[in-house]
Amino acid sequence: MTLSILIVDDDVVSRSMLQDIIENCGTGELTGMAEGGLEGQRMILDLKPDVVLIDLLMPDQDGIETVANLKQSGYNGKFIMISQVVNKEMVGAAYQKGIEFFIHKPINRVEVEHVLNKVNEQWKYERYVQEIKQSMARLNLVEAPALAPAQTRTVRDSARSILMDLGIIGESGSKDIIALMEYAIEQKQASELPPLKESYEAVAQKYKLTPKEVEKECKAMEQRIRRTVLTALTNLASIGLTDYSNHKFEHYAPLYFDFQDVRMKMRAMEEEQASDNKSKVNIKKFLQVFYMETVEKINS
């Protein structure tokens, strides 16, 4: 299936250049072009493209407002913003509203092709995750009680292989992650993790007696996992800075993290900023993807 792309830009020259790049790079298929934010908003809700290339400044409705309106309307495609504006506050506001990448004008063919390739990779990984969910739900892969002893051992081995790839096998939170995976599979979950609070409590209750001890351990577990996930983000960002085409970076970075967070971490590392406390990570997403990959390894 080909990536569908729509352009929203009031400048005819920019639209023409972007159209030429899309048609020649082979990354996706152009499904439409709009000359302003309002027209673009209508077309996007109608055509539902996978990716939108959108200008920041337009006379009728700017790109940030258009993105916000579309998100509010339920559109969940990917946005690439294009503008000659270099104001950091405006760029930051655009990222906060949900854009994936920001390209500066004048338009550079190599840069546009590179960004489209990265968005295409991210899109493919997300489709891959969705296919895993659908397969697990359809086949109910973790249901047979007779296989529980073998699965328990295999869960640990499968989870450890992912932890090693992410470079976090030695982190204190790695044991907690393995315990959460074992609990989820014990619950015969088909495609979704049990609620995190429930999972933390179930794991903590295995070796803590009183409610107060359990509560304290849940908070400690949450912090250990957060630090471990932040370390995984740092490791992947470091790999990306060294070799953007490294197979671990290409597979794990867009699968486990929001790619804009990976890019922000890479930028902070390039500028040698001590920003671990400021790095954003979605723990629920990380653990959900980790669970799906663990189950896939068990059944492969």
Side-chain angles (χ1 to χ4, degrees):
M1 190 173 180
T2 306
L3 195 70
S4 57
I5 305 171
L6 191 142
I7 298 169
V8 183
D9 197 315
D10 63 312
D11 179 34
V12 63
V13 176
S14 295
R15 291 199 306 273
S16 178
M17 289 181 66
L18 292 170
Q19 178 182 6
D20 181 65
I21 293 169
I22 292 167
E23 290 176 349
N24 286 283
C25 74
T27 302
E29 178 180 319
L30 184 65
T31 59
M33 292 192 289
E35 299 180 8
L38 293 173
E39 180 189 10
Q41 187 171 312
R42 290 192 295 270
M43 288 182 66
I44 291 163
L45 291 175
D46 181 41
L47 299 174
K48 295 181 174 58
D50 300 308
V51 179
V52 175
L53 286 159
I54 185 167
D55 190 19
L56 173 55
L57 298 179
M58 292 179 287
D60 60 341
Q61 180 173 277
D62 67 44
I64 293 176
E65 185 179 355
T66 303
V67 170
N69 290 344
L70 286 164
K71 289 280 186 181
Q72 192 173 11
S73 298
Y75 172 72
N76 57 6
K78 299 185 179 301
F79 291 99
I80 302 170
M81 189 155 281
I82 303 175
S83 179
Q84 58 190 6
V85 172
V86 293
N87 182 285
K88 289 185 178 181
E89 286 71 25
M90 292 191 74
V91 173
Y95 275 115
Q96 287 179 347
K97 292 301 181 183
I99 70 163
E100 304 286 333
F101 293 94
F102 200 102
I103 296 175
H104 293 286
K105 290 183 177 181
I107 292 171
N108 179 291
R109 177 179 292 270
V110 174
E111 183 182 13
V112 174
E113 288 182 354
H114 177 74
V115 169
L116 285 175
N117 284 329
K118 285 301 164 187
V119 171
N120 191 34
E121 290 169 9
Q122 191 175 353
W123 176 73
K124 286 179 179 178
Y125 284 130
E126 289 173 359
R127 283 175 55 83
Y128 162 73
V129 171
Q130 187 60 36
E131 286 170 3
I132 292 175
K133 279 187 176 184
Q134 291 171 352
S135 297
M136 289 165 60
R138 186 166 56 249
L139 299 176
N140 202 13
L141 295 176
V142 294
E143 194 172 275
L147 296 178
Q151 281 186 343
T152 301
R153 291 192 299 273
T154 309
V155 170
R156 183 171 295 272
D157 294 339
S158 300
R160 282 175 63 86
S161 71
I162 301 171
L163 292 167
M164 283 190 285
D165 278 351
L166 293 170
I168 53 176
I169 189 66
E171 298 295 317
S172 59
S174 65
K175 294 180 180 179
D176 298 310
I177 292 173
I178 291 172
L180 289 174
M181 298 303 110
E182 290 175 335
Y183 171 73
I185 289 179
E186 286 171 4
Q187 303 308 301
K188 303 181 180 66
Q189 292 293 111
S191 61
E192 297 287 339
L193 277 172
L196 289 186
K197 186 175 185 294
E198 171 193 321
S199 301
Y200 291 152
E201 289 176 350
V203 171
Q205 285 169 357
K206 291 182 178 181
Y207 50 95
K208 296 295 181 181
L209 299 177
T210 68
K212 188 174 182 180
E213 287 177 330
V214 169
E215 183 181 2
K216 184 177 179 181
E217 177 59 21
C218 287
K219 291 179 181 178
M221 188 186 309
E222 187 175 5
Q223 289 304 311
R224 288 195 298 267
I225 291 175
R226 178 175 176 77
R227 287 195 297 270
T228 299
V229 174
L230 282 168
T231 300
L233 174 62
T234 300
N235 292 343
L236 289 172
S238 179
I239 292 172
L241 286 173
T242 305
D243 180 8
Y244 209 69
S245 62
N246 182 284
H247 72 280
K248 287 184 181 179
F249 179 80
E250 289 188 333
H251 176 73
Y252 289 109
L255 196 59
Y256 280 78
F257 299 97
D258 293 333
F259 206 73
Q260 63 211 49
D261 294 336
V262 180
R263 284 175 58 85
M264 288 176 66
K265 182 64 178 177
M266 291 169 67
R267 191 177 302 117
M269 293 174 71
E270 281 183 311
E271 297 171 358
E272 298 183 350
Q273 297 176 5
S275 60
D276 276 351
N277 293 331
K278 298 179 181 178
S279 297
K280 293 191 303 179
V281 285
N282 186 332
I283 303 298
K284 184 176 180 180
K285 174 184 176 180
F286 180 93
L287 292 174
Q288 176 63 52
V289 175
F290 197 106
Y291 174 67
M292 289 190 296
E293 286 219 307
T294 300
V295 173
E296 185 186 31
K297 286 180 178 291
I298 290 170
N299 293 281
S300 63

